[in-house]
Amino acid sequence: MMSKLCSVKETRSLLLAGKTLILAGEEDALDQLPRGKWIAGTIPYFMTSDGGLLTKEQIFVTEVPEFVINQKITYYNETAIKRVYEDGYEKGFTILIIPATSKTHFTFALRAPSFPEFASKPLIGWISGVDLADLGKVSPKIYNGANAQKETDGAIGIHCQLPPNKEADIGIINIFSQGAGDVIEFPADGFSVTDALINGKKQDFADYLTVNKIDTRYPLVSDYSGAMINVSFQKVDVSAHHVDLYAPVFKNLKYKLATPIEDYVAGFNSELEKLDATDIFFSCNCILNYLYGKLEGKKTKGFVGPITFGEIGYQLLNQTLAYLKIYGN
Amino acid sequence: MSSQPESLRPLTDPVWMQLISGQKNVDLKFLAAKILLTSQKLKYSLHPSDDQLKKSAEQFRDLYLKRGHLPDAKRDIAQYFRREK
């Protein structure tokens, strides 16, 4: 299974040879590709075998293996995205890319657990983004290679069917865990918060974070039956009594602030040591981990792929490394 | 104890609804199950009715009908019914 950075020329050659590719790269690079069997999202940050890297010239290429029996590329708009789980093959996997801050991004994040057949088949993916220097100036994009069209909204997915001797499964690596502090709940689902229930008592959440000098590089963490799922902080505006988040919080879920991490790279590598990376077909890691963990130039053992504005492991994730394994004879 | 997992019990087995209602808590291994169980428990907490409980239990059990052969899923299934042996 091939996953690596390639030049535009190398990527073109693979497409012209009839390969089916899942791509990540800068818009200028992706714009140079011919029509073919590919999907892509924009991002210039990558985990590579040589370490974290920002490049605007190269494209991260994941080649769909020859053993895949069938594949279908589907574009979903904000309404159709609810079909994404049921559209997957009964035995297979789906890779999905959604542009950051698009309507579909928010719809998927908030509503995916209510979509038909949610979590019933392996669905992994990522939220496309831009160079952080271009935030607010350039829109994240997704591409459907079949018509070489790029979009700033919707989602592009590739559903792949596996042969009987292969299995696919998703895992996540989250170096954060719930701290021992307050239990935090929210009165409504959403990416923006005004009030929160802190140990059952209503408080202005921006005030709470500020007064308690909370380091918002570390996320809120909820315990999903043993899986630690993060919600990362985007902005705390005390004067507006507003906290913006990179993923939604959900009413009736209990959150805690994460235990601070002293050494990101050591934290990741400690978790990665426990895993066999040989069967990894696809992985992605969060831009916040890249930034806060200063991962540029640093290696995350055996795990390569795009650094993203959000990860998808059945549902939207934050500050998490998500991976898909394909194994079997 | 045998390392073989239990075969999947029918929806009428009380364990499925106990998992959704929180009466039964187990240490899950299968990521899809962790995420699906939490979302179904959340749905039930927001709409606590017998109908929702049954729907949520059915959807959760369906995950194991489709993917119960995976190693982590097998381990979960064994856990659900371990104490009733």
Coordinates of all heavy atoms in Angstrom, one line a residue, chain A residues 72-150:
Chain A
K72 N -16.4 3.5 -5.7 CA -17.3 4.5 -6.3 C -16.9 5.9 -5.6 O -16.8 5.9 -4.4 CB -18.7 4.2 -6.1 CG -19.2 3.8 -4.7 CD -20.6 3.3 -4.7 CE -21.0 2.8 -3.3 NZ -22.3 2.2 -3.2
I73 N -16.8 6.9 -6.4 CA -16.5 8.2 -5.9 C -17.8 9.0 -5.9 O -18.5 9.0 -6.9 CB -15.5 8.9 -6.8 CG1 -14.1 8.3 -6.6 CG2 -15.4 10.4 -6.5 CD1 -13.0 8.8 -7.5
T74 N -18.2 9.6 -4.8 CA -19.5 10.3 -4.7 C -19.3 11.7 -4.1 O -18.6 11.8 -3.1 CB -20.4 9.5 -3.8 OG1 -20.5 8.1 -4.2 CG2 -21.8 10.1 -3.8
Y75 N -19.9 12.7 -4.7 CA -19.9 14.0 -4.2 C -21.2 14.1 -3.4 O -22.3 13.8 -3.9 CB -19.8 15.1 -5.3 CG -20.1 16.5 -4.7 CD1 -19.1 17.2 -4.0 CD2 -21.4 17.1 -4.8 CE1 -19.4 18.4 -3.5 CE2 -21.6 18.3 -4.3 CZ -20.6 19.0 -3.6 OH -20.9 20.2 -3.1
Y76 N -21.1 14.6 -2.2 CA -22.3 14.9 -1.4 C -22.5 16.4 -1.1 O -21.5 17.0 -0.7 CB -22.2 14.2 0.0 CG -22.1 12.7 -0.1 CD1 -20.8 12.0 -0.1 CD2 -23.2 11.9 -0.2 CE1 -20.7 10.7 -0.2 CE2 -23.1 10.5 -0.2 CZ -21.9 9.9 -0.3 OH -21.8 8.5 -0.4
N77 N -23.7 16.9 -1.3 CA -23.9 18.3 -0.8 C -24.4 18.2 0.6 O -24.5 17.1 1.2 CB -24.9 19.0 -1.7 CG -26.3 18.3 -1.7 OD1 -26.7 17.7 -0.8 ND2 -27.0 18.6 -2.8
E78 N -24.7 19.4 1.2 CA -25.0 19.5 2.6 C -26.2 18.6 3.0 O -26.3 18.1 4.1 CB -25.3 20.9 2.9 CG -25.6 21.2 4.4 CD -26.3 22.5 4.7 OE1 -26.6 23.3 3.7 OE2 -26.5 22.8 5.8
T79 N -27.2 18.4 2.0 CA -28.3 17.6 2.3 C -28.0 16.1 2.1 O -28.4 15.3 2.9 CB -29.5 18.0 1.3 OG1 -29.7 19.4 1.4 CG2 -30.8 17.2 1.6
A80 N -27.3 15.8 1.0 CA -27.0 14.4 0.7 C -26.0 13.7 1.6 O -26.0 12.5 1.7 CB -26.6 14.3 -0.7
I81 N -25.3 14.5 2.4 CA -24.2 13.9 3.2 C -24.8 12.9 4.2 O -24.1 12.0 4.6 CB -23.5 15.0 4.0 CG1 -22.2 14.5 4.7 CG2 -24.3 15.8 5.0 CD1 -21.2 13.9 3.8
K82 N -26.1 13.0 4.5 CA -26.7 12.0 5.4 C -26.7 10.6 4.9 O -26.8 9.6 5.7 CB -28.1 12.4 5.8 CG -29.1 12.3 4.6 CD -30.5 12.9 5.0 CE -31.4 12.9 3.8 NZ -32.6 13.7 4.0
R83 N -26.4 10.4 3.6 CA -26.4 9.1 3.0 C -25.0 8.4 3.1 O -24.8 7.3 2.6 CB -26.8 9.1 1.5 CG -28.2 9.6 1.2 CD -28.6 9.1 -0.2 NE -27.5 9.3 -1.1 CZ -27.3 10.3 -2.0 NH1 -28.2 11.3 -2.0 NH2 -26.3 10.3 -2.8
V84 N -24.0 9.1 3.6 CA -22.6 8.7 3.4 C -22.3 7.3 4.1 O -21.6 6.5 3.5 CB -21.6 9.8 3.9 CG1 -21.7 9.9 5.4 CG2 -20.2 9.5 3.4
Y85 N -23.0 7.0 5.2 CA -22.7 5.7 5.8 C -23.4 4.6 5.1 O -22.8 3.6 4.8 CB -23.2 5.7 7.3 CG -22.4 6.8 8.1 CD1 -23.0 8.0 8.4 CD2 -21.2 6.5 8.6 CE1 -22.3 9.0 9.2 CE2 -20.5 7.5 9.4 CZ -21.1 8.7 9.6 OH -20.4 9.6 10.4
E86 N -24.7 4.8 4.7 CA -25.4 3.7 4.0 C -24.9 3.5 2.6 O -25.0 2.4 2.1 CB -26.9 4.0 4.0 CG -27.4 5.3 3.4 CD -28.9 5.5 3.6 OE1 -29.6 4.6 3.9 OE2 -29.3 6.7 3.5
D87 N -24.2 4.5 2.0 CA -23.6 4.3 0.7 C -22.4 3.4 0.7 O -21.9 3.0 -0.4 CB -23.2 5.7 0.1 CG -24.4 6.4 -0.5 OD1 -25.6 5.8 -0.5 OD2 -24.3 7.5 -1.0
G88 N -21.8 3.2 1.8 CA -20.6 2.4 1.9 C -20.9 1.0 1.6 O -22.0 0.5 1.8
Y89 N -19.8 0.3 1.1 CA -20.0 -1.2 0.9 C -20.1 -1.9 2.2 O -19.5 -1.5 3.2 CB -18.8 -1.7 0.1 CG -18.7 -1.3 -1.3 CD1 -17.9 -0.2 -1.7 CD2 -19.5 -1.8 -2.3 CE1 -17.8 0.2 -3.1 CE2 -19.5 -1.4 -3.7 CZ -18.6 -0.4 -4.0 OH -18.6 0.0 -5.3
E90 N -20.9 -3.0 2.1 CA -21.1 -3.8 3.4 C -19.7 -4.3 3.9 O -19.5 -4.4 5.1 CB -22.0 -5.0 3.1 CG -23.5 -4.6 3.1 CD -24.0 -3.9 4.3 OE1 -23.6 -4.4 5.4 OE2 -24.8 -3.0 4.2
K91 N -18.9 -4.6 3.0 CA -17.5 -5.0 3.4 C -16.5 -4.1 2.7 O -16.3 -4.3 1.5 CB -17.2 -6.5 3.0 CG -15.9 -7.0 3.5 CD -15.7 -8.5 3.1 CE -14.4 -9.0 3.6 NZ -14.3 -9.0 5.0
G92 N -16.1 -3.1 3.4 CA -15.2 -2.2 2.7 C -14.9 -1.0 3.7 O -14.9 -1.2 4.9
F93 N -14.6 0.1 3.1 CA -14.3 1.3 3.8 C -14.6 2.5 3.0 O -14.7 2.4 1.7 CB -12.9 1.3 4.3 CG -11.9 1.4 3.2 CD1 -11.4 2.6 2.7 CD2 -11.4 0.2 2.7 CE1 -10.5 2.6 1.6 CE2 -10.4 0.2 1.6 CZ -10.0 1.4 1.1
T94 N -14.8 3.7 3.6 CA -15.0 4.9 3.0 C -14.0 6.0 3.5 O -13.7 6.0 4.7 CB -16.4 5.4 3.3 OG1 -17.4 4.5 2.7 CG2 -16.7 6.8 2.6
I95 N -13.5 6.7 2.5 CA -12.6 7.9 2.9 C -13.4 9.1 2.4 O -13.8 9.2 1.3 CB -11.2 7.8 2.3 CG1 -10.5 6.6 2.9 CG2 -10.5 9.1 2.5 CD1 -9.1 6.4 2.5
L96 N -13.5 10.1 3.3 CA -14.3 11.3 3.1 C -13.5 12.5 3.4 O -12.8 12.6 4.4 CB -15.5 11.2 4.1 CG -16.6 12.3 3.9 CD1 -17.4 12.0 2.6 CD2 -17.6 12.3 5.1
I97 N -13.7 13.5 2.5 CA -13.0 14.8 2.7 C -14.0 16.0 2.7 O -14.9 16.0 1.7 CB -11.9 15.1 1.7 CG1 -11.0 13.9 1.5 CG2 -11.0 16.3 2.1 CD1 -10.0 14.0 0.3
I98 N -14.0 16.9 3.6 CA -14.9 18.0 3.7 C -14.2 19.3 3.9 O -13.2 19.3 4.7 CB -15.9 17.8 4.9 CG1 -16.6 16.4 4.9 CG2 -17.0 18.9 4.9 CD1 -17.4 16.1 6.1
P99 N -14.5 20.3 3.2 CA -13.8 21.6 3.4 C -14.1 22.2 4.7 O -15.3 22.3 5.1 CB -14.3 22.5 2.2 CG -15.2 21.7 1.4 CD -15.6 20.5 2.1
A100 N -13.1 22.7 5.4 CA -13.3 23.4 6.7 C -14.2 24.6 6.6 O -14.2 25.3 5.6 CB -11.9 23.8 7.3
T101 N -15.0 24.8 7.6 CA -15.9 25.9 7.8 C -17.1 25.9 6.7 O -17.8 26.9 6.6 CB -15.2 27.3 7.8 OG1 -14.7 27.6 6.5 CG2 -14.1 27.3 8.9
S102 N -17.2 24.9 6.0 CA -18.3 24.8 5.0 C -19.6 24.4 5.7 O -19.5 23.9 6.8 CB -18.0 23.8 3.9 OG -17.9 22.5 4.4
K103 N -20.7 24.6 5.1 CA -22.0 24.2 5.7 C -22.0 22.7 5.9 O -22.5 22.2 6.9 CB -23.2 24.5 4.7 CG -23.5 26.0 4.6 CD -24.6 26.2 3.6 CE -24.9 27.7 3.3 NZ -25.8 27.9 2.2
T104 N -21.4 21.9 5.0 CA -21.4 20.5 5.1 C -20.5 20.0 6.3 O -20.8 19.1 7.0 CB -20.9 19.8 3.8 OG1 -21.7 20.3 2.8 CG2 -21.0 18.3 3.9
H105 N -19.4 20.8 6.5 CA -18.6 20.5 7.7 C -19.4 20.6 9.0 O -19.4 19.7 9.8 CB -17.5 21.5 7.7 CG -16.5 21.5 8.9 ND1 -15.6 22.5 9.2 CD2 -16.3 20.5 9.8 CE1 -14.9 22.2 10.2 NE2 -15.3 21.0 10.7
F106 N -20.2 21.7 9.1 CA -21.0 21.9 10.3 C -22.1 20.8 10.4 O -22.4 20.3 11.5 CB -21.5 23.3 10.4 CG -20.4 24.3 10.5 CD1 -20.3 25.4 9.6 CD2 -19.5 24.2 11.5 CE1 -19.3 26.3 9.7 CE2 -18.4 25.2 11.6 CZ -18.3 26.2 10.7
T107 N -22.8 20.6 9.3 CA -23.9 19.6 9.3 C -23.3 18.2 9.7 O -23.9 17.5 10.5 CB -24.5 19.6 7.9 OG1 -25.0 20.8 7.6 CG2 -25.6 18.5 7.8
F108 N -22.2 17.8 9.1 CA -21.7 16.5 9.4 C -21.3 16.4 10.8 O -21.6 15.4 11.5 CB -20.5 16.2 8.5 CG -19.8 14.9 8.8 CD1 -20.3 13.7 8.2 CD2 -18.7 14.8 9.6 CE1 -19.8 12.5 8.5 CE2 -18.1 13.6 9.9 CZ -18.7 12.4 9.3
A109 N -20.6 17.5 11.3 CA -20.2 17.4 12.7 C -21.3 17.3 13.7 O -21.2 16.6 14.7 CB -19.4 18.7 13.0
L110 N -22.4 18.0 13.4 CA -23.5 18.1 14.4 C -24.5 16.9 14.2 O -25.0 16.4 15.2 CB -24.3 19.4 14.2 CG -23.7 20.6 14.8 CD1 -24.3 21.9 14.2 CD2 -23.9 20.6 16.3
R111 N -24.7 16.5 13.0 CA -25.7 15.5 12.7 C -25.3 14.1 12.4 O -26.2 13.2 12.3 CB -26.6 16.0 11.5 CG -27.2 17.4 11.7 CD -28.4 17.4 12.6 NE -28.7 18.8 13.0 CZ -28.6 19.3 14.3 NH1 -28.1 18.5 15.3 NH2 -28.8 20.5 14.6
A112 N -24.0 13.8 12.1 CA -23.6 12.5 11.7 C -24.2 11.4 12.6 O -24.6 10.4 12.1 CB -22.1 12.4 11.6
P113 N -24.2 11.5 13.9 CA -24.7 10.4 14.7 C -26.2 10.1 14.5 O -26.6 9.0 14.8 CB -24.5 10.9 16.2 CG -23.4 11.9 16.1 CD -23.6 12.6 14.7
S114 N -26.9 11.0 13.8 CA -28.3 10.7 13.4 C -28.4 10.2 12.0 O -29.6 9.9 11.6 CB -29.1 11.9 13.6 OG -29.1 12.4 14.9
F115 N -27.4 10.1 11.2 CA -27.5 9.7 9.9 C -27.7 8.2 9.8 O -27.2 7.4 10.7 CB -26.2 10.0 9.1 CG -25.9 11.4 8.8 CD1 -24.7 11.9 8.4 CD2 -26.9 12.4 9.1 CE1 -24.4 13.2 8.2 CE2 -26.6 13.8 8.9 CZ -25.4 14.2 8.4
P116 N -28.4 7.7 8.8 CA -28.7 6.2 8.7 C -27.4 5.4 8.7 O -26.4 5.8 8.0 CB -29.4 6.1 7.4 CG -30.1 7.4 7.2 CD -29.1 8.4 7.8
E117 N -27.4 4.3 9.5 CA -26.2 3.4 9.6 C -24.9 4.0 10.1 O -23.8 3.6 9.8 CB -26.0 2.7 8.2 CG -27.2 1.9 7.7 CD -26.9 1.1 6.5 OE1 -25.8 0.6 6.4 OE2 -27.8 1.0 5.6
F118 N -25.1 5.1 10.9 CA -23.9 5.7 11.5 C -23.0 4.7 12.2 O -23.5 3.9 12.9 CB -24.4 6.8 12.5 CG -23.3 7.3 13.4 CD1 -22.3 8.2 12.9 CD2 -23.2 7.0 14.8 CE1 -21.3 8.7 13.7 CE2 -22.2 7.5 15.6 CZ -21.3 8.4 15.0
A119 N -21.7 4.8 11.9 CA -20.7 4.0 12.5 C -20.8 2.5 12.2 O -20.1 1.7 12.8 CB -20.7 4.2 14.0
S120 N -21.7 2.1 11.2 CA -21.8 0.7 11.0 C -20.8 0.2 10.0 O -20.6 -1.1 9.9 CB -23.2 0.5 10.4 OG -23.4 1.1 9.1
K121 N -20.1 1.1 9.3 CA -19.0 0.7 8.4 C -17.8 1.6 8.6 O -18.1 2.7 9.0 CB -19.5 0.8 6.9 CG -20.8 0.0 6.6 CD -21.5 0.5 5.4 CE -22.8 -0.2 5.2 NZ -23.6 0.5 4.2
P122 N -16.6 1.2 8.3 CA -15.5 2.0 8.5 C -15.5 3.3 7.6 O -15.5 3.2 6.4 CB -14.3 1.1 8.2 CG -14.8 -0.2 8.3 CD -16.2 -0.2 7.9
L123 N -15.6 4.4 8.3 CA -15.6 5.7 7.6 C -14.5 6.6 8.2 O -14.6 6.9 9.4 CB -16.9 6.4 7.6 CG -17.0 7.7 6.8 CD1 -18.4 7.8 6.1 CD2 -16.8 8.9 7.7
I124 N -13.5 6.9 7.4 CA -12.4 7.8 7.9 C -12.3 8.9 7.0 O -12.7 8.9 5.8 CB -11.1 7.0 8.1 CG1 -10.0 7.7 8.9 CG2 -10.6 6.5 6.7 CD1 -8.8 6.9 9.3
G125 N -11.6 10.0 7.4 CA -11.4 11.1 6.5 C -10.9 12.3 7.2 O -10.3 12.2 8.3
W126 N -11.0 13.4 6.5 CA -10.4 14.6 7.1 C -11.1 15.9 6.6 O -11.8 15.9 5.6 CB -8.9 14.7 6.8 CG -8.5 14.5 5.4 CD1 -8.5 13.4 4.7 CD2 -7.9 15.5 4.6 NE1 -8.0 13.6 3.4 CE2 -7.6 14.9 3.3 CE3 -7.6 16.9 4.7 CZ2 -7.0 15.6 2.3 CZ3 -7.1 17.6 3.7 CH2 -6.8 16.9 2.5
I127 N -10.8 17.0 7.3 CA -11.3 18.3 7.0 C -10.2 19.1 6.3 O -9.1 19.2 6.8 CB -11.8 19.0 8.2 CG1 -12.8 18.2 9.0 CG2 -12.4 20.4 7.9 CD1 -14.1 17.8 8.3
S128 N -10.5 19.5 5.0 CA -9.4 20.2 4.3 C -9.2 21.6 4.8 O -10.1 22.2 5.4 CB -9.7 20.2 2.8 OG -10.9 21.0 2.5
G129 N -8.1 22.1 4.5 CA -7.7 23.5 5.1 C -6.8 24.2 4.1 O -6.8 24.0 2.9
V130 N -6.1 25.2 4.7 CA -5.2 26.0 4.0 C -4.0 26.3 4.8 O -3.9 26.0 6.0 CB -5.9 27.4 3.6 CG1 -7.1 27.2 2.7 CG2 -6.3 28.1 4.9
D131 N -3.0 26.9 4.1 CA -1.8 27.4 4.8 C -2.3 28.4 5.9 O -3.2 29.3 5.6 CB -0.9 28.1 3.8 CG 0.4 28.6 4.5 OD1 0.4 28.8 5.7 OD2 1.3 28.9 3.7
L132 N -1.9 28.3 7.1 CA -2.4 29.1 8.2 C -2.1 30.6 7.9 O -2.9 31.5 8.4 CB -1.8 28.7 9.5 CG -2.2 27.3 10.0 CD1 -1.3 26.9 11.2 CD2 -3.6 27.3 10.3
A133 N -1.2 30.9 7.1 CA -0.9 32.3 6.7 C -2.0 32.8 5.8 O -2.1 34.0 5.6 CB 0.5 32.4 6.0
D134 N -2.8 31.9 5.2 CA -3.9 32.3 4.3 C -5.2 32.2 4.9 O -6.3 32.4 4.2 CB -3.8 31.4 3.0 CG -2.6 31.7 2.2 OD1 -2.0 32.8 2.2 OD2 -2.1 30.7 1.5
L135 N -5.3 32.0 6.2 CA -6.6 31.8 6.9 C -7.4 33.1 6.6 O -7.0 34.2 6.8 CB -6.4 31.7 8.4 CG -6.3 30.2 8.9 CD1 -6.2 30.3 10.4 CD2 -7.5 29.4 8.5
G136 N -8.7 32.9 6.2 CA -9.6 34.0 6.0 C -9.4 34.6 4.6 O -10.2 35.4 4.2
K137 N -8.3 34.3 3.9 CA -8.1 34.8 2.5 C -8.4 33.8 1.5 O -8.9 34.1 0.4 CB -6.7 35.3 2.4 CG -6.3 36.4 3.3 CD -4.8 36.8 3.1 CE -4.0 36.7 4.4 NZ -2.6 36.7 4.2
V138 N -8.2 32.5 1.8 CA -8.3 31.4 0.8 C -9.3 30.4 1.4 O -9.2 30.1 2.6 CB -7.0 30.8 0.5 CG1 -7.2 29.6 -0.5 CG2 -6.0 31.8 -0.1
S139 N -10.2 29.9 0.6 CA -11.1 28.9 1.1 C -10.6 27.5 0.9 O -10.0 27.1 -0.1 CB -12.5 28.9 0.3 OG -13.1 30.2 0.6
P140 N -10.7 26.6 1.9 CA -10.4 25.2 1.8 C -11.2 24.6 0.6 O -12.4 25.0 0.5 CB -10.7 24.6 3.1 CG -10.7 25.7 4.1 CD -11.2 26.9 3.3
K141 N -10.7 23.6 -0.1 CA -11.4 23.0 -1.2 C -11.4 21.5 -1.1 O -10.5 20.9 -0.4 CB -10.7 23.4 -2.5 CG -10.4 24.8 -2.7 CD -11.5 25.6 -3.2 CE -11.2 27.1 -3.7 NZ -10.2 27.8 -2.9
I142 N -12.3 20.9 -1.9 CA -12.3 19.5 -2.1 C -12.3 19.3 -3.7 O -12.8 20.2 -4.4 CB -13.4 18.7 -1.5 CG1 -14.8 19.3 -1.8 CG2 -13.2 18.6 0.0 CD1 -16.0 18.5 -1.4
Y143 N -11.9 18.2 -4.1 CA -11.8 17.9 -5.6 C -12.5 16.6 -5.9 O -12.2 15.6 -5.2 CB -10.4 17.9 -6.1 CG -9.7 19.2 -6.2 CD1 -9.3 19.8 -5.0 CD2 -9.4 19.8 -7.4 CE1 -8.6 21.0 -5.1 CE2 -8.7 21.0 -7.5 CZ -8.3 21.6 -6.3 OH -7.6 22.8 -6.4
N144 N -13.2 16.5 -7.0 CA -13.6 15.3 -7.6 C -12.8 15.1 -8.9 O -13.1 15.9 -9.9 CB -15.1 15.3 -7.9 CG -15.6 14.0 -8.5 OD1 -14.8 13.1 -8.8 ND2 -16.9 13.8 -8.6
G145 N -11.9 14.2 -8.9 CA -11.0 14.1 -10.1 C -11.7 13.6 -11.4 O -11.2 13.9 -12.5
A146 N -12.9 13.0 -11.2 CA -13.6 12.6 -12.4 C -13.9 13.7 -13.3 O -13.9 13.6 -14.6 CB -14.9 11.9 -12.0
N147 N -14.2 14.9 -12.8 CA -14.5 16.0 -13.6 C -13.5 17.2 -13.3 O -13.7 18.3 -13.8 CB -15.9 16.5 -13.5 CG -16.3 16.7 -12.0 OD1 -15.4 16.9 -11.2 ND2 -17.6 16.8 -11.8
A148 N -12.5 16.9 -12.5 CA -11.5 17.9 -12.0 C -12.1 19.1 -11.5 O -11.6 20.2 -11.6 CB -10.5 18.2 -13.2
Q149 N -13.3 19.0 -10.9 CA -14.0 20.1 -10.3 C -13.6 20.3 -8.8 O -13.4 19.3 -8.1 CB -15.5 19.8 -10.3 CG -16.2 20.0 -11.6 CD -16.4 21.4 -12.0 OE1 -16.8 22.2 -11.2 NE2 -16.0 21.8 -13.2
K150 N -13.5 21.5 -8.4 CA -13.2 21.8 -7.0 C -14.4 22.5 -6.4 O -15.1 23.3 -7.1 CB -11.9 22.6 -6.8 CG -11.8 23.9 -7.6 CD -10.4 24.5 -7.4 CE -10.2 25.7 -8.3 NZ -8.9 26.3 -8.2

